[in-house]
Amino acid sequence: ERSVHRAVERQYATLDSLLRQGENTSFGREFGLRRIRGAEDFMRRVPRFDYDSYEGNINRMRQGEHNVAVEGRISMFARSSGTSARSKYIPITRRALYGNHLRGMADAVALYLRANPSSELFDGRTLTMAGHCQREGRALVGDLSALLVVATGRWGELVRAPSRRAALIEDFDAKCEAICEECAVEDIRALAGVPSWNMALVRRLLEWTEKEHLCEVWPRIELFMHGGVSFHPYRAAFESAVGRKINYWESYNASEGFIAVAEECNSDEMLLMPHYGCYYEFARGENVVPLEGVRCGAEYAVLMSSENGLWRYDLGDVVRFTSVDPYKIKIVGRTKQ
């Protein structure tokens, strides 16, 4: 709460921290990060990037080069296709993994429990539908969800299902089959992940158990925590498949970083998290402003600089600010649209 209500202050502190972390990297020397003083100076000295213009730096990181745009060598890459035809490789540092992605997941649960104090979420397990990852040279590469399963290790299985073995199966149909075998008899209280993957799993589970509704398989299910894509096209299908009312909780957790999370059930309005090691700028055409420059009701493209080694990186998402005290956003589209 302190961070959210001091969001502008936390954002400028994050920028200062990122500049110190990056000043001795190849990127930092090229753009003079050591000499930058403040947000306006940062905008003048460092250009905006999209994936195509930043790919050279990412390829150097993938080849194992040290100190490219972040200190050290990157050992994890989240592979994301997004809305493009080709895969994108987003560097993930250990610092960002724990201080951004996992922290965001924990805060999302905390906010849900604050809004729902009678929840029995931790009396059972949360089923997380993960992707796949594999070793490529010295780096672990794959879906962010799979990297998080690996990072949380066996302690994650205290609250998460399925087993790591089943969660990381590469073939999607085989993964669904293994999850049905393991989890049909589990006490599942929540689902978490991308709506499309979870909808496919739910349909397969209902066929496998020969049940009409999900609440017949898991009577105490209460929550679906979703992100990655818009939930709107899937809501009616989920409500029909579950068979009774449950809570739906949205988060904005891109491969590049965990950005925002809802404070209320069934809301697409999300609280911007200013203290997760990401510095944000917001663009309307060529006009770019820091957080304190945004206007309520206006729509912006999102630029991110992060502990992952991304600098003024265009996420391709368009958000609308619904509040500036505290800062709340809705995802309203993609810049390509």
Side-chain angles (χ1 to χ4, degrees):
E1 289 177 336
R2 283 195 299 271
S3 295
V4 164
H5 289 287
R6 297 166 64 182
V8 170
E9 179 184 336
R10 291 305 300 266
Q11 277 286 277
Y12 287 143
T14 297
L15 176 59
D16 289 341
S17 176
L18 291 173
L19 292 173
R20 288 195 302 272
Q21 292 174 41
E23 63 184 18
N24 292 319
T25 64
S26 297
F27 185 94
R29 290 189 293 271
E30 180 180 357
F31 294 102
L33 299 188
R34 185 190 296 270
R35 299 186 298 275
I36 290 176
R37 299 292 182 268
E40 291 187 7
D41 198 17
F42 182 58
M43 291 182 197
R44 284 194 299 269
R45 289 181 181 268
V46 181
R48 291 166 60 173
F49 295 94
D50 58 15
Y51 188 82
D52 289 338
S53 58
Y54 203 71
E55 190 173 16
N57 291 313
I58 291 176
N59 286 340
R60 289 168 62 191
M61 296 182 206
R62 289 182 64 200
Q63 290 164 9
E65 186 174 336
H66 286 63
N67 300 328
V68 176
V70 67
E71 292 178 332
R73 182 178 64 83
I74 304 295
S75 59
M76 280 189 174
F77 292 88
R79 184 171 51 227
S80 170
S81 58
T83 57
S84 64
R86 66 190 181 99
S87 293
K88 299 178 180 179
Y89 294 84
I90 306 302
I92 306 288
T93 63
R94 184 177 181 85
R95 186 169 184 164
L97 187 75
Y98 288 96
N100 179 275
H101 292 290
L102 291 176
R103 185 177 188 176
M105 292 167 60
D107 281 351
V109 172
L111 287 167
Y112 172 75
L113 294 176
R114 184 178 70 173
N116 298 273
S118 62
S119 169
E120 298 178 344
L121 185 66
F122 285 113
D123 289 348
R125 291 186 175 185
T126 295
L127 197 160
T128 302
M129 191 68 180
H132 174 70
C133 61
Q134 62 189 28
R135 285 282 169 192
E136 293 186 8
R138 298 174 65 183
L140 191 62
V141 179
D143 298 294
L144 176 64
S145 54
L147 299 179
L148 293 173
V149 168
V150 172
T152 52
R154 296 204 174 275
W155 64 264
E157 294 186 25
L158 297 173
V159 295
R160 187 197 69 236
S163 68
R164 177 169 161 170
R165 179 199 65 81
L168 297 179
I169 293 174
E170 181 174 5
D171 181 79
F172 187 79
D173 291 334
K175 185 197 301 281
C176 287
E177 190 74 16
I179 292 175
C180 290
E181 291 177 359
E182 283 190 8
C183 298
V185 294
E186 283 271 10
D187 184 8
I188 300 297
R189 301 300 177 96
L191 300 174
V194 179
S196 54
W197 291 2
N198 277 270
M199 191 70 252
L201 173 64
V202 167
R203 287 172 172 157
R204 180 69 190 95
L205 181 71
L206 294 178
E207 293 175 0
W208 199 85
T209 58
E210 298 182 344
K211 302 293 186 182
E212 185 175 355
H213 295 115
L214 196 63
C215 64
E216 299 174 64
V217 184
W218 299 318
R220 297 181 181 180
I221 190 166
E222 65 174 80
L223 171 67
F224 177 35
M225 304 192 84
H226 56 86
V229 297
S230 171
F231 185 56
H232 180 72
Y234 300 93
R235 178 180 289 277
F238 265 95
E239 290 174 347
S240 175
V242 174
R244 64 170 172 78
K245 182 179 178 180
I246 64 169
N247 295 319
Y248 297 95
W249 202 266
E250 183 160 9
S251 60
Y252 182 5
N253 52 337
S255 298
E256 294 85 354
F258 199 111
I259 298 169
V261 64
E263 283 190 290
E264 300 176 357
C265 296
N266 307 313
S267 174
D268 58 357
E269 183 181 61
M270 293 173 283
L271 193 64
L272 184 73
M273 293 302 188
H275 56 298
Y276 285 1
C278 298
Y279 176 72
Y280 300 108
E281 298 167 275
F282 300 92
R284 292 171 63 84
E286 296 302 315
N287 183 37
V288 182
V289 295
L291 183 62
E292 69 173 328
V294 303
R295 293 185 293 106
C296 188
E299 296 179 357
Y300 301 89
V302 183
L303 309 182
M304 173 193 286
S305 301
S306 77
E307 293 175 334
N308 283 341
L310 302 176
W311 294 95
R312 304 202 74 208
Y313 181 84
D314 190 337
L315 297 179
D317 294 326
V318 178
V319 301
R320 178 187 301 125
F321 278 85
T322 59
S323 167
V324 294
D325 186 22
Y327 290 95
K328 294 184 178 182
I329 58 175
K330 289 183 179 181
I331 303 172
V332 295
R334 298 281 295 173
T335 55
K336 290 182 179 180
Q337 298 168 341

